[in-house]
Amino acid sequence: MKVLKCDKPYNVDENRRQRGLPKKRRKDPQTTCFELCIRVPDEYQDLVGKKKYSKTVYVLNKKVDLKAKVDEFETEKNNELEALIEADVAAKAEHELEITANTPTGIYLNCYIDVRVNSASKDTIENERSHCKYASEVIGGIPLGKLTSNDVDKALQAVPRLSEKWALELRAEREKKRNAVGMEVHHRKLKPLGPIKIAGPDKQYKVLKFLREALNFAVEKEVLTRNVARARFLTRLYKKSKPKVDPLMEDEAGRFLEELDKLETCYFKIGVLLLLGAGIRPEEMQAVRLGNFSYIDDEPCLSITGVVPHGSNVIVDYDGKSNAALRSIPIDDSIYEEVLKWAEILKAHLADMGIRFTLNTPLFSDTGMPVTYNTFKRQWNEFSKKAGFEDVRPYALRHTFATITLAHGENIKTVSYLMGHESTAYTTDSYAAWVPNTRTGIGRRYIKTLRKAA
């Protein structure tokens, strides 16, 4: 459960004074009137039935009395929310017990998601509803107890067809709206809609994974005796696809770096240098701050501590010391010098804007806030086209870092750590083709090493 927090108390008396209005009537004229407000998170608004809680309080001492009133208000509303959640979970659990083998699969899948609403993240629930939509379209009417692995197979086969059908319907609806208002808005023509995207193997795998988890729950509740979505042939047919690996070759990477060096010092140059020279993710590059750099063993290092989610310009720090993404990456001295040079330029630029530069100021910025990925992508497209690397995507620089370091004999475990992978197995699986083959002559080298040591 998310803990409810009160906004900054609003001074009602001060506001009325500025508007030339008298104070509200009260028992003690020495007190000050404040309004407290707690905003209810989106996921709890339906449960609570309102978007915020508010309360008017009168206090003598702003520091002591007001703090006590705020704490009391927060405690009261958190207890209320906890009770509502417990009651909601109990009601859903009671409803869940009504699920039988005769329940239509579509209804069961929706019930399964509803039970998970308060235990899973909002993004997870949205994804599961999307997976449920695909499955329900084909097998939603089949009783849960009569569901077979062949039925699951049919549902997965239909994913691309349904995706195309819904995408075309959505496109037709958008075209209809555009035509309703005319093709010209503010004296400019609207851009034509892009090509539709059709779900493929990745979506099929995710729908299968969702069905397995949902039917596992039914097995645990003894509604089903076995999970038909776990059939072996489904595992063979619908595998999780490997991530696309599209690195630059060594000579191409050298030419790319030459083109990058020609740019004047700016946040874009710094960001791309870090993508190429440290192998970090684009969303991690957006979150880099001067405070992330330090010297370790006389070598400049970059500590990766957070990301900027897609579509946002707010840095979100990684959680937990066990998170594989938390890491420290050695970088080249020339890159660090360029970072320091940009930091001085940015500091002076922000000072002219009346903004104070600190160690926590994002470097991928010229306003004090991280530049969004969409803005970066536009700049990337312009640069890559001009430099002759039009078909290269930003993420390819991360693959370039991994493949070239591995090809030059760097330890696979070290590279896995620098990439922020959870396991060495994932690194090996992704970049196996670039790991040097040292089998030839290994026996001779081994014995020669022993003879030299003797």
Side-chain angles (χ1 to χ4, degrees):
M1 184 188 96
K2 287 186 179 178
V3 178
L4 300 180
K5 287 289 183 181
C6 187
D7 291 350
K8 183 179 178 181
Y10 175 70
N11 192 326
V12 177
D13 288 345
E14 179 65 21
N15 178 264
R16 291 179 69 86
R17 185 187 66 77
Q18 291 176 358
R19 291 159 55 197
L21 299 173
K23 287 184 177 182
K24 286 185 176 181
R25 293 181 61 184
R26 64 202 69 182
K27 291 181 180 180
D28 187 348
Q30 299 299 319
T31 57
T32 304
C33 179
F34 285 91
E35 186 175 316
L36 308 183
C37 176
I38 292 178
R39 300 180 191 281
V40 180
D42 294 343
E43 58 264 42
Y44 299 139
Q45 287 180 7
D46 289 340
L47 188 63
V48 173
K50 56 177 70 177
K51 293 185 177 181
K52 66 179 181 179
Y53 293 112
S54 58
K55 183 179 182 180
T56 302
V57 296
Y58 299 91
V59 298
L60 284 169
N61 186 302
K62 292 182 183 178
K63 287 187 178 179
V64 179
D65 294 348
L66 183 57
K67 186 179 185 306
K69 293 285 187 183
V70 169
D71 290 343
E72 180 186 345
F73 186 44
E74 287 179 345
T75 302
E76 176 192 346
K77 295 307 174 186
N78 275 300
N79 289 339
E80 282 184 20
L81 179 60
E82 188 175 355
L84 286 171
I85 290 175
E86 287 178 0
D88 186 54
V89 170
K92 284 176 178 174
E94 185 178 344
H95 175 68
E96 171 196 321
L97 294 175
E98 298 173 4
I99 299 293
T100 67
N102 292 323
T103 303
T105 301
I107 293 176
Y108 167 73
L109 293 176
N110 281 293
C111 288
Y112 168 74
I113 296 172
D114 289 341
V115 170
R116 286 170 44 77
V117 164
N118 291 318
S119 60
S121 70
K122 187 177 179 181
D123 289 342
T124 300
I125 295 299
E126 285 181 4
N127 288 334
E128 288 187 349
R129 293 205 186 281
S130 170
H131 306 332
C132 178
K133 182 181 177 184
Y134 280 99
S136 297
E137 186 74 14
V138 179
I139 59 175
I142 301 174
L144 196 58
K146 293 184 178 180
L147 193 66
T148 67
S149 54
N150 287 329
D151 293 327
V152 174
D153 184 30
K154 288 177 184 175
L156 298 176
Q157 287 180 29
V159 167
R161 174 177 57 79
L162 292 173
S163 173
E164 183 178 15
K165 174 189 170 186
W166 293 333
L168 288 171
E169 289 175 354
L170 181 61
R171 184 187 180 91
E173 186 180 335
R174 287 178 177 171
E175 287 284 9
K176 187 178 179 181
K177 286 182 179 178
R178 285 157 68 101
N179 293 333
V181 296
M183 283 302 291
E184 291 197 9
V185 178
H186 301 301
H187 306 291
R188 64 181 176 84
K189 285 190 175 182
L190 294 172
K191 292 181 179 179
L193 293 174
I196 62 170
K197 294 181 179 179
I198 301 174
D202 275 350
K203 188 67 173 180
Q204 290 172 312
Y205 170 79
K206 289 174 183 177
V207 173
L208 175 60
K209 184 181 177 183
F210 164 70
L211 288 173
R212 284 176 170 172
E213 291 171 353
L215 296 180
N216 261 351
F217 190 69
V219 172
E220 288 172 7
K221 293 296 178 183
E222 298 183 354
V223 176
L224 297 177
T225 56
R226 67 188 184 94
N227 188 340
V228 295
R230 289 203 170 275
R232 288 185 180 180
F233 80 93
L234 294 175
T235 303
R236 289 195 304 271
L237 288 174
Y238 306 101
K239 295 179 180 178
K240 184 178 182 180
S241 63
K242 292 182 181 179
K244 181 182 179 182
V245 178
D246 53 350
L248 297 173
M249 294 298 101
E250 202 164 332
D251 59 331
E252 292 177 320
R255 286 193 291 107
F256 186 91
L257 183 57
E258 284 181 1
E259 293 297 329
L260 196 56
D261 286 337
K262 294 176 184 177
L263 295 179
E264 292 185 3
T265 303
C266 60
Y267 69 79
F268 177 80
K269 181 179 181 180
I270 297 299
V272 180
L273 276 173
L274 292 175
L275 291 179
L276 180 65
I280 60 178
R281 302 173 177 93
E283 59 268 28
E284 293 173 333
M285 172 267 291
Q286 293 172 264
V288 169
R289 296 164 277 201
L290 188 60
N292 291 118
F293 292 89
S294 61
Y295 267 91
I296 300 176
D297 297 330
D298 295 327
E299 183 177 38
C301 289
L302 168 63
S303 296
I304 302 300
T305 58
V307 295
V308 173
H310 187 71
S312 168
N313 64 347
V314 177
I315 297 174
V316 177
D317 290 330
Y318 284 132
D319 291 329
K321 292 183 179 179
S322 62
N323 194 323
L326 284 167
R327 60 202 191 276
S328 185
I329 307 171
I331 60 171
D332 186 71
D333 291 299
S334 64
I335 296 179
Y336 185 52
E337 290 170 7
E338 197 72 26
V339 167
L340 294 179
K341 185 178 176 182
W342 168 243
E344 288 300 317
I345 296 172
L346 180 60
K347 184 178 180 180
H349 178 65
L350 293 180
D352 291 340
M353 298 169 63
I355 301 173
R356 183 167 167 264
F357 179 87
T358 69
L359 291 177
N360 286 323
T361 301
L363 291 176
F364 195 71
S365 164
D366 57 1
T367 62
M369 293 293 288
V371 172
T372 62
Y373 184 78
N374 287 340
T375 300
F376 164 65
K377 193 66 190 298
R378 285 196 296 272
Q379 295 170 328
W380 170 272
N381 290 339
E382 290 175 10
F383 168 74
S384 58
K385 185 176 181 179
K386 199 176 293 183
F389 292 90
E390 191 170 0
D391 296 329
V392 176
R393 59 194 187 113
Y395 217 88
L397 300 188
R398 175 171 165 83
H399 296 314
T400 301
F401 174 85
T403 55
I404 292 179
T405 51
L406 286 172
H408 281 265
E410 296 293 346
N411 184 282
I412 187 76
K413 194 168 184 66
T414 301
V415 174
S416 180
Y417 166 77
L418 296 178
M419 296 293 285
H421 292 160
E422 290 187 3
S423 69
T424 308
Y426 180 84
T427 311
T428 306
D429 193 41
S430 300
Y431 303 109
W434 284 269
V435 178
N437 181 3
T438 58
R439 184 187 64 176
T440 305
I442 191 170
R444 291 173 187 157
R445 289 195 299 273
Y446 169 63
I447 294 299
K448 198 176 287 185
T449 301
L450 295 184
R451 291 193 191 284
K452 284 183 181 179

